[in-house]
Amino acid sequence: MKLWDKGATIDDKIMNFTVGNDREIDTHIAKYDVQATRAHVIMLEKIGILSAQELDSLLPQLEILEAHTQNPDFFIEPEYEDIHSKIEAELTLILGETGKKVHTARSRNDQVLVALHLYYKDQLQQIRVRTVSLFDTLMKLAEKHQDKLLPGYTHLQVAMPSSFGLWFSAYAELLIDDLTLLNATLQIVDQNPLGSAAGYGSSFPIDRNLTTKEMGFATLKYNVVAAQMSRGKSERTLASTLGSLANTLSRFAMDICLYMSQNFGFISFPEQLTTGSSIMPHKKNPDVFELIRGKCNKIQALSTEMILITNNLPSGYHRDYQLLKENTINAIENIKDILEIFDYSIAQIVVKDIDLTEEKYKYIFTVDSINNLVVEGKSFREAYKTVGGEVQAGTYKPDSGRKHTHLGSIHNPGFAEITEKMRKVSTALDKS
């Protein structure tokens, strides 16, 4: 069954090419298409297209269908082009002529749009929750290991003293920026496009405010052309936001892989969280974090793909939009899994004691030594040359006793301020 079937025979090769992977992809949005159909038929009854009896027969069947879409074995049979045609066919099979009425005042275009918007809304909320959970885990680790020193690097060379408290809380604070973008993206997709039909509205007296309320959207996309053009724009925004979060996680994963190596030896993980080698029995490989790094880099590429598919399309609907679904949905599902496994794994990290008196860390306190001389009355330039000369002559003796007191530094990391910043961002949408 095809929603656009007029009785003409379509070449099988053409059908297979144009359908693509829609049946598999649409299982992710099936529940949301049922929810949108429920809102739509409630509205159709209000404007007199459906009778009260017809609505009463449709609602319980839609409830059954929604429950069915949540079964692990749910699939879309080959005789259906997509989830939209399957739902209409199921309703028609059970309710006859009433089932044939549910497409009234809709196009497959706005059916896809509204289902995707509902899916994006739901998934972004889940991603927000998992991001906050990871933030909480990192802040607990930061507080636990606040006083454990860690060499700081520039150009991958020993630079200045840092701490595990700063390291964990640094990535935690970056997650706040990512959450800010998630909030903004959620507001963009939280607009009801249903009623735009093929992009130019309908001659039926539909009530778009009613469907907006029924589906729980914050507002609607008023202009029907703008609603249609939001497809592609929403995906570009979403891809950019997921890319930002993926960048944070990818860089963190790289640090972990580096710090686990024997050349650094700063951290470890329980053996059950690592993998081995088929020929080297001593290996404890950070495969989880290597895969996180690779998957996150793949997600960061999504934004470019979305731009290239949509950047030169004129207004109105184009079949190119079909190509946005698969990789966007895959990226969403992947980032949820990544956040979950990252949170689970990092909570079990083993932080080692690092001896900063080792020869390789000899110069890590040179900046503090310069500052000591400045406090004693020397100009910064003179103090810099003095300590630099000692380094060159091999006479430098480190002084590790100086405290860093400014906000955000080793001995005053600002955990309370970072936590409060996250609280404000994580609850920002609650006030809107």
Side-chain angles (χ1 to χ4, degrees):
M1 177 184 170
K2 297 175 285 293
L3 297 181
W4 49 271
D5 190 352
K6 298 182 290 292
T9 302
I10 305 298
D11 189 297
D12 286 343
K13 285 187 176 181
I14 299 299
M15 273 304 303
N16 291 335
F17 183 79
T18 55
V19 170
N21 296 327
D22 261 14
R23 296 186 191 94
E24 293 81 6
I25 301 164
D26 278 5
T27 58
H28 291 281
I29 63 170
K31 175 178 75 171
Y32 307 100
D33 195 66
V34 176
Q35 291 173 358
T37 299
R38 180 188 297 112
H40 186 67
V41 297
I42 289 171
M43 183 273 297
L44 289 180
E45 189 272 336
K46 182 187 175 185
I47 66 171
I49 300 295
L50 292 175
S51 68
Q53 292 77 13
E54 287 173 323
L55 179 62
D56 287 342
S57 66
L58 280 165
L59 292 179
Q61 293 304 320
L62 287 169
E63 186 175 343
I64 292 169
L65 276 174
E66 183 174 354
H68 182 43
T69 64
Q70 300 307 290
N71 292 338
D73 60 349
F74 176 78
F75 73 104
I76 301 170
E77 294 83 352
E79 59 263 32
Y80 303 119
E81 187 175 11
D82 49 34
I83 185 58
H84 321 295
S85 55
K86 176 180 171 68
I87 288 172
E88 184 173 324
E90 295 274 2
L91 292 173
T92 301
L93 181 65
I94 298 168
L95 302 175
E97 290 300 311
T98 299
K100 296 178 182 180
K101 294 183 179 182
V102 298
H103 195 64
T104 306
R106 285 196 298 183
S107 165
R108 187 167 63 159
N109 298 343
D110 65 342
Q111 278 189 263
V112 176
L113 258 176
V114 71
L116 285 171
H117 275 239
L118 288 169
Y119 169 78
Y120 294 153
K121 269 188 63 178
D122 191 15
Q123 301 306 308
L124 283 168
Q125 290 285 18
Q126 292 183 41
I127 293 168
R128 289 176 75 245
V129 169
R130 294 185 190 197
T131 300
V132 173
S133 176
L134 178 57
F135 170 89
D136 291 340
T137 299
L138 294 180
M139 291 307 296
K140 288 176 184 175
L141 289 168
E143 291 172 0
K144 180 179 179 180
H145 302 291
Q146 177 177 349
D147 298 326
K148 285 198 172 185
L149 290 182
L150 173 72
Y153 292 84
T154 62
H155 308 278
L156 268 184
Q157 298 183 67
V158 172
M160 290 179 65
S162 182
S163 70
F164 281 100
L166 284 184
W167 185 56
F168 287 122
S169 61
Y171 281 107
E173 191 166 6
L174 288 179
L175 289 175
I176 302 175
D177 298 335
D178 298 324
L179 191 65
T180 301
L181 291 174
L182 285 167
N183 287 348
T185 305
L186 188 53
Q187 289 179 292
I188 288 171
V189 300
D190 197 8
Q191 303 179 78
N192 176 24
L194 186 62
S196 58
Y200 302 98
S202 171
S203 58
F204 289 105
I206 58 176
D207 186 342
R208 298 187 66 209
N209 286 314
L210 188 153
T211 57
T212 298
K213 183 178 179 181
E214 285 289 334
M215 289 183 286
F217 281 107
T219 185
L220 56 84
K221 206 74 172 180
Y222 294 99
N223 185 297
V224 290
V225 179
Q228 187 56 243
M229 290 175 68
S230 70
R231 192 165 184 194
K233 191 173 183 65
S234 296
E235 283 76 11
R236 289 197 302 274
T237 304
L238 181 57
S240 178
T241 296
L242 295 182
S244 176
L245 178 55
N247 178 264
T248 301
L249 300 175
S250 178
R251 294 180 70 182
F252 197 0
M254 179 62 213
D255 275 4
I256 290 168
C257 293
L258 203 64
Y259 290 174
M260 273 188 70
S261 73
Q262 290 84 349
N263 291 44
F264 289 81
F266 299 158
I267 59 174
S268 185
F269 285 88
E271 192 155 353
Q272 62 267 26
L273 268 65
T274 63
T275 61
S277 163
S278 62
I279 63 171
M280 295 173 284
H282 65 281
K283 296 297 290 295
K284 287 177 62 177
N285 300 323
D287 283 19
V288 165
F289 294 99
E290 291 174 341
L291 286 170
I292 287 173
R293 183 177 58 196
K295 286 173 180 283
C296 283
N297 291 341
K298 186 176 179 181
I299 290 170
Q300 289 179 78
L302 181 66
S303 180
T304 301
E305 179 182 325
M306 298 297 102
I307 291 169
L308 290 176
I309 291 174
T310 63
N311 70 341
N312 62 350
L313 294 180
S315 60
Y317 175 77
H318 310 278
R319 194 61 181 262
D320 311 51
Y321 290 136
Q322 178 183 344
L323 305 178
L324 302 174
K325 282 197 300 185
E326 182 171 10
N327 286 344
T328 300
I329 290 173
N330 286 340
I332 288 170
E333 299 299 328
N334 274 326
I335 202 72
K336 289 193 301 180
D337 290 343
I338 289 167
L339 284 164
E340 182 179 4
I341 196 66
F342 210 130
D343 198 359
Y344 174 80
S345 300
I346 199 68
Q348 302 180 62
I349 193 171
V350 178
V351 172
K352 298 183 179 180
D353 292 321
I354 302 169
D355 184 2
L356 293 186
T357 65
E358 290 184 26
E359 181 67 21
K360 60 186 173 183
Y361 303 128
K362 182 176 181 179
Y363 301 121
I364 203 167
F365 295 103
T366 56
V367 176
D368 287 346
S369 297
I370 292 170
N371 293 348
N372 287 338
L373 293 177
V374 171
V375 170
E376 292 170 4
K378 285 192 174 185
S379 68
F380 177 82
R381 187 55 53 215
E382 184 182 1
Y384 179 89
K385 288 182 178 180
T386 299
V387 174
E390 292 173 356
V391 171
Q392 292 296 321
T395 60
Y396 173 73
K397 289 185 173 53
D399 177 7
S400 60
R402 190 166 186 85
K403 295 292 183 183
H404 296 199
T405 59
H406 72 77
L407 185 59
S409 62
I410 303 175
H411 304 111
N412 184 17
F415 293 161
E417 289 81 359
I418 293 171
T419 301
E420 175 61 14
K421 186 197 287 190
M422 171 55 96
R423 186 196 65 78
K424 289 179 179 178
V425 172
S426 63
T427 60
L429 294 182
D430 298 339
K431 302 170 186 177
S432 59

